[in-house]
Amino acid sequence: MAQWTSAVGAVQLARQLHAQRTATTGPGIRRPPAYRALADGIRRLVLEGRVPVAARLPAERELAVALSMSRTTVAAAYEALRSEGFLESRRGAGSWTAVPAGNPLPARGLEPLPPESLGSMIDLGTAALPAPEPWLTRGVQGALEELPPYAHTHGDYPAGLPALRRMLAERYTERGIPTMPEQIMVTTGAMGAMDAICHLFAGRGERVAVESPSYANILQLMREAGARLVPVAMAEGLSGWDLARWRQVLRDAAPRLAYVVADFHNPTGALADEDQRRQLVDAARSAGTVLVVDETMSELRLDPDIEMPRRVCAFDPAGSTVLTVGSASKAFWAGMRIGWVRAAPDVIRSLVAARAYADLGTPVLEQLAVHWLLRTGGWEEAVALRRAQARENRDALVSAVRAELPGWEFDVPGGGLTLWVRTGGLSGSRLAEVGERVGVRVPSGPRFGVDGAFEGYVRLPFTVGGPVAVEAAARLAAAARLVETGASNGTDAPRTFVA
């Protein structure tokens, strides 16, 4: 069996290398030998996630023609990459990208900071805000008033409370996507929804296409389910998906499942436009791939001038290709562990049946609280508070990071809860390690990649604002200085990330 899970064409790789070379050359920059420059360029593309790990590279002759250089130069570059652990080859199977064995992969997702550490540590690890009061308290009080009739039942609703299923179906219908309650299953958060979907569609060894980067906790859930992750690089900046790459991966790797975040992508903040959504649904349908769309950020539009495209499921209203996952955790509060899946009725029945061997159902009281909020208009009021707080925090964090760390690069998203930051050549893993010593907790880029990509990035969520944001940026700058000088581990060697 071949070791690669996707392929990169010669013309595509040449185009990426040319764009990279244009951005990194200039007066006074010493040029390395041609083979070394080519090897460095490919390695940088792998480590930044622009070329996925385990992607088959073009044959030496094909790449030489595309780059207008000799085959000897390409062969020398490939050999240099093999010696450094960034390329593996086998006769008859070709060569595919890799990450050296000495680069440890992130073993876990993103765990909340223990409460006892909150006083001394600024937590930028979890993209979650405090509850939007008074709406949490009002929702719970409303739920308690509606609880007595349910208390006289067994309380076991594997598909969710009928009233909440109807309410969620009505909300999709109001958005122009006709939906029946039979197309909704209520889950214990979005993670519960994804766990059920993975167990039904992505058994051990199944290929799952994922954006690169993607949400760390979902990647880890899929790894633990035994899925083979096939990364698909995002387009540059905030422009959404690279449809040419998606079509290629869906065609060549034939994944059983694909997982995407169309609305204010976690971690990049990208917003896929309507044409991208239509094209991806069409490509998934043609490939026989089930497309799972994570909508947990869809209500967090921070800039009011942004016109939101139609939901992805609008291009597959029957739910035969698109499975939509929603949640109260990001738009309302992380402690409100209510999620849902929208899909075809037969898929929902299968998910409900499989659930009998997992968590049986979702807590009734929390479902009643969400139902009360949706029914009374409290949900819209709470989400408006959440948007205002996230917008204020985003602007404060952006200003502080630009002032303290002017060499760091990022695009400011128009929504969501996260900033995806290139750290000016510093190792994101080292920054995360040193950051905890100086009082700021930040997740490194490799947590959001597959097999060690994105070492030169960190994710900064919009969870702090005002003076706390300024202090967080100052502590990150202090960590960056320690990483640059190597003082954090008592060495004199710089701890920068050499791409």
Side-chain angles (χ1 to χ4, degrees), residues 25-48:
T25 57
I29 297 179
R30 183 180 178 183
R31 293 186 177 182
Y35 86 91
R36 185 69 262 171
L38 176 57
D40 290 346
I42 293 174
R43 185 178 71 243
R44 187 179 297 112
L45 290 173
V46 171
L47 287 169
E48 292 188 352

Side-chain angles (χ1 to χ4, degrees), residues 419-444:
L419 201 65
W420 186 237
V421 181
R422 178 181 278 176
T423 56
L426 298 179
S427 163
S429 298
R430 290 290 298 154
L431 281 167
E433 177 187 349
V434 176
E436 296 217 18
R437 301 180 193 173
V438 299
V440 60
R441 184 172 183 261
V442 58
S444 63

Side-chain angles (χ1 to χ4, degrees), residues 320-392:
S320 57
T321 296
V322 176
L323 275 60
T324 302
V325 173
S327 171
S329 298
K330 296 298 185 186
F332 187 78
W333 184 47
M336 186 67 77
R337 304 305 304 161
I338 297 295
W340 54 87
V341 180
R342 181 199 180 276
D346 61 320
V347 174
I348 294 297
R349 286 193 293 270
S350 297
L351 288 169
V352 171
R355 187 179 193 180
Y357 305 101
D359 64 355
L360 297 178
T362 303
V364 170
L365 188 62
E366 292 185 27
Q367 292 187 73
L368 287 173
V370 172
H371 178 262
W372 185 91
L373 289 164
L374 293 172
R375 178 173 59 82
T376 62
W379 178 270
E380 283 71 22
E381 295 281 352
V383 170
L385 287 176
R386 169 66 74 240
R387 290 193 189 111
Q389 185 179 13
R391 184 187 307 115
E392 183 178 332

Side-chain angles (χ1 to χ4, degrees), residues 43-117:
R43 185 178 71 243
R44 187 179 297 112
L45 290 173
V46 171
L47 287 169
E48 292 188 352
R50 309 307 308 164
V51 169
V53 174
R56 185 176 182 270
L57 292 186
E60 295 169 0
R61 188 185 303 276
E62 294 175 359
L63 186 57
V65 171
L67 292 172
S68 299
M69 60 175 51
S70 72
R71 182 179 177 182
T72 302
T73 300
V74 176
Y78 277 19
E79 181 56 37
L81 290 168
R82 274 190 288 269
S83 67
E84 296 162 1
F86 286 93
L87 196 68
E88 297 180 11
S89 304
R90 191 175 68 195
R91 187 177 298 278
S95 300
W96 55 92
T97 57
V99 171
N103 288 32
L105 303 183
R108 296 175 294 173
L110 303 179
E111 301 80 14
L113 188 68
E116 61 270 17
S117 301

Side-chain angles (χ1 to χ4, degrees), residues 196-203 206-208 256-257 290 292 320 323 347 350-351:
I197 290 169
C198 287
H199 278 89
L200 184 61
F201 289 97
E206 290 278 5
R207 288 179 175 175
V208 178
R256 181 72 180 92
L257 203 68
V290 175
V292 182
S320 57
L323 275 60
V347 174
S350 297
L351 288 169

Side-chain angles (χ1 to χ4, degrees), residues 1-8 52-56 205-210 228-232 244-258 283 287-289:
M1 181 183 295
Q3 301 298 308
W4 49 273
T5 57
S6 60
V8 181
V53 174
R56 185 176 182 270
E206 290 278 5
R207 288 179 175 175
V208 178
V210 296
R228 298 176 61 194
L229 302 184
V230 183
V232 185
R245 294 191 185 198
W246 269 106
R247 282 190 287 266
Q248 181 183 15
V249 166
L250 293 175
R251 181 184 64 245
D252 296 345
R256 181 72 180 92
L257 203 68
T289 298

Side-chain angles (χ1 to χ4, degrees), residues 87-159:
L87 196 68
E88 297 180 11
S89 304
R90 191 175 68 195
R91 187 177 298 278
S95 300
W96 55 92
T97 57
V99 171
N103 288 32
L105 303 183
R108 296 175 294 173
L110 303 179
E111 301 80 14
L113 188 68
E116 61 270 17
S117 301
L118 291 176
S120 59
M121 183 77 68
I122 297 177
D123 185 12
L124 299 181
T126 305
L129 290 163
E133 288 288 29
W135 295 107
L136 173 62
T137 298
R138 292 181 183 178
V140 173
Q141 289 172 341
L144 287 171
E145 294 174 1
E146 297 178 0
L147 181 61
Y150 295 94
H152 293 291
T153 73
H154 50 60
D156 186 3
Y157 298 90

